[in-house]
Amino acid sequence: MSTKKKTPLQRIRNIGIIAHIDAGKTTVTERILYYTGKVHKMGEVHDGEAVMDWMADEQERGITITSAVTTCVWKDHEIHIIDTPGHVDFTIEVERSLRVLDGAVGVFCAVGGVQPQSETVWRQADRYHVPKIAFVNKIDRIGADFFGAVEQMKDRLKARPLLLQIPIGSEDSFSGVLDLVAMKKLYWEADTLGAVMHEEEIPEELSEDAALYRDKLLEDLSETDDVLMEKYLAEEPVSEEELIAAIRKATVGLAGVPVLCGAALRNKGIQPLLDAVVRYLPSPADVPPVKGTDPRTGEIVERPASEKAPLSALVFKVTMQEGRKFCFARIYSGKLVAGTDVYSPITRTREKPSRIFAVHANKHERIEEAGAGNIVGVTGLKFPSTGDTLCLESEPIILERIDTYEPVMSMAVEPKSHADQEKLPQVLEKLAAEDPSLRVREDKETGQTIISGMGELHLEIIVSRMQRDFGTSVNVGKPQVVYRETVGQTGVGRAVFDQDVAGAHHYAEIEVTVVPRPRRQGNIVESAMPPGPVPENLVRAALSGIAESLETGVIMGYPVLDVAASLSGVNFREAGATELGFKVASQMAVKDALKNAQAFLLEPIVNVEVLVPDAFMGEVIGDLNSRGGKVEAIEARKDTQAVVAQVPLSRMFGYSTALRSATQGRATFTLQFS
Ligand code: GDP
Ligand code: MG
């Protein structure tokens, strides 16, 4: 076991790289690992099915870009890169990584600009108050428009871009960048794959541009900083140190977004990006104390990022490695020590992390303990699931759980052989433990196994992992949209269960009230009964009956969503008061309440954005209309039009094939849940 030298908190960066698919996240990450010495060979991203490449990446190239965390070292700082998949099907993965990172790098394509997925992820990052840096990639591509991308950041992301660089040349002639902080020209040596970066004085012909954009940077920054404002207005000189400090303050305080540029594929622009991560993104010590709930009192409590504070850690990913559960946890306060008891307040169990690991790209290094600000691997936990808190039993805290998304697509799977049939349940159980957005159930009528998830691609990947990682083959049914049911108004339902079952008498008389909640707020199941007359075990039985009953609605049997259901009345009689009776009566009361609350069906709607050359506009719009879509906007982009529409998800099956044949393969589209 190694006794790893501890990096002080101030020199740790927990970051994520967020991007629209194809913006260059994989390429940027790979260059980062190369220049920081993590990998010694650079691979290129292959052509082909782009959405699949993140699965193929680690397989084919032997570096684990998709492992939960990759650690690298840059200028004495330890950078943990937390993986954030770009595809909309994996929103849950993005969400859970945003929870545990302190800063993010947004990678944008200089041609595509701010595309819908980056917009979504950016908003999610805003919601979690994550400071960001932007990297405008692919300046070498035909049609690259650095300033256009910056304008889109203002319009679409409502960000205040702080241009720290501007590109020298564009497309084929892109040769380097002007660094407006150091006022230098930067360029990269082709022979060393960009590993050697040169700095020189800004040449005469660019000095006017440099002065202009430096002034613009000061102007933008002065809006975030009073001291700088005074200097700027008085036209006093600002030193490089002052400038860096002001940029850092604006970034950490979410008042501005430093913007850099380059072409990862051409090995240009990565070192200044790493410098910016270290300079401007916060360390775990710079972010506000984590908040949670004290389960004893229900009060909100805070824990500072200090090893001296009591332990709080969030399990943000559970994976299976060599047949064992391997958890990734972010420690917010206190210390996690191998072999020492911790408490899991959600499952109310004592847990003993048997081993703790520092996580690197390919290997895990065993350590004895880790403190606040670190992200570690943990084995030995008995009942871990994503979103669980680890703390001290004497000082319990529950950190806010990671939102889970409701599945929108389901598919029947059938084992191909007898051997597959035997393995199927365990395999699915393992996959579901890793992936909280995957649900597995048995269809009671047909006996089929149904998996549901966040989209067609998500389910396809699950099926291919069953085959590849577990050697289990299945035939699959047609993917189906999962509808939801909800209610339009408050409804009260009552039921009496008065029966002899298995020789015992059961009696329960229950009232349940359901109230609509705003979309996407999820369900609440609670007791509105004063503590006292009804024993607690019976209340619990009633609540579990209510929760179960919400899994199948009263219209078509789809899950009920966005309702608050409460146990609002019990006519309590000692005789015959059993858990079974309470549970069954509650289930019946829920159905009655739903009927009285004007239940209705919810259909998943997606936002579709199609980028299409002018010549094919008519076909694309006609096709969207025929799918019941509502075209909301048509925006002119360089050489293309962007058609934005809302379409029911159920009508989008096979869209990529249809679009390809209608436009000779010249249009691209993206989907997002509305
Ligand atoms: P990801 O989907 O965001 O991970 O994007 P990738 O890193 O897989 O890149 C998508 C495609 O863009 C690949 O074909 C890359 O080779 C290409 N690419 C990435 N960076 C650049 C760049 O700076 N310039 C150009 N011209 N292509 C790039
Ligand atoms: Mg990729």
Side-chain angles (χ1 to χ4, degrees), residues 361-392:
N362 264 339
K363 57 181 203 313
H364 304 315
E365 184 190 353
R366 235 176 118 180
I367 50 179
E368 272 163 74
E369 56 171 60
N374 278 288
I375 288 177
V376 292
V378 181
T379 58
L381 302 182
K382 286 183 299 244
F383 308 109
S385 57
T386 298
D388 280 358
T389 303
L390 301 176
C391 60
L392 300 178

Side-chain angles (χ1 to χ4, degrees), residues 46-110:
H46 313 284
D47 290 339
E49 201 71 53
V51 285
M52 292 300 291
D53 91 337
W54 73 260
M55 292 301 291
D57 278 343
E58 54 182 327
Q59 293 265 309
E60 289 170 17
R61 287 188 274 162
I63 52 165
T64 317
I65 288 174
T66 59
S67 80
V69 187
T70 305
T71 302
C72 59
V73 173
W74 184 251
K75 299 195 174 161
D76 265 352
H77 286 69
E78 198 174 297
I79 303 175
H80 301 282
I81 304 174
I82 297 140
D83 185 52
T84 53
H87 196 275
V88 60
D89 282 11
F90 308 108
T91 323
I92 177 75
E93 296 260 356
V94 178
E95 193 100 358
R96 67 181 169 195
S97 36
L98 286 174
R99 266 299 297 283
V100 298
L101 47 79
D102 302 319
V105 174
V107 175
F108 299 95
C109 167

Side-chain angles (χ1 to χ4, degrees), residues 19-28 44-47 50 53-54 57 61 107 135 137-142 262-268:
H20 185 92
I21 199 130
D22 265 2
K25 195 181 91 168
T26 304
T27 313
V28 168
E44 296 301 348
V45 177
H46 313 284
D47 290 339
D53 91 337
W54 73 260
D57 278 343
R61 287 188 274 162
V107 175
F135 182 73
N137 190 32
K138 304 200 190 184
I139 302 286
D140 63 310
R141 263 189 66 187
I142 292 177
L265 187 66
R266 310 284 168 223
N267 311 313
K268 294 187 175 112

Side-chain angles (χ1 to χ4, degrees), residues 2 37 51 101 137 173 264 276 285 383 428 441 449 478 481 505 557 577 582 586 633 635-636 658:
S2 80
V51 285
L101 47 79
N137 190 32
S173 70
F383 308 109
L428 286 173
R441 69 182 172 85
T449 303
K478 234 175 108 183
V481 171
H505 184 66
F582 269 65
S586 302
E635 293 168 24

Side-chain angles (χ1 to χ4, degrees), residues 425-546:
Q426 287 104 316
V427 170
L428 286 173
E429 192 190 328
K430 282 180 185 162
L431 288 168
E434 281 183 23
D435 178 355
S437 58
L438 170 68
R439 307 284 162 84
V440 180
R441 69 182 172 85
E442 191 178 320
D443 186 313
K444 289 197 180 96
E445 277 160 32
T446 61
Q448 276 176 320
T449 303
I450 311 287
I451 60 175
S452 22
M454 303 307 295
E456 256 181 303
L457 175 69
H458 183 205
L459 297 178
E460 267 168 35
I461 287 179
I462 295 291
V463 168
S464 84
R465 286 200 56 198
M466 286 162 70
Q467 165 79 336
R468 200 187 65 211
D469 298 352
F470 299 98
T472 305
S473 302
V474 290
N475 294 317
V476 301
K478 234 175 108 183
Q480 312 238 310
V481 171
V482 178
Y483 292 85
R484 288 301 129 85
E485 300 185 11
T486 192
V487 297
Q489 63 176 46
T490 298
V492 179
R494 292 185 190 85
V496 182
F497 184 73
D498 186 1
Q499 265 181 40
D500 289 329
V501 179
H505 184 66
H506 302 270
Y507 181 84
E509 194 176 339
I510 300 279
E511 180 190 280
V512 170
T513 304
V514 297
V515 178
R517 303 191 74 211
R519 279 299 77 73
R520 284 184 155 275
Q521 296 302 299
N523 291 340
I524 295 179
V525 175
E526 63 194 355
S527 168
M529 302 293 297
V534 186
E536 214 193 309
N537 65 316
L538 297 180
V539 172
R540 268 203 306 271
L543 293 181
S544 91
I546 295 174

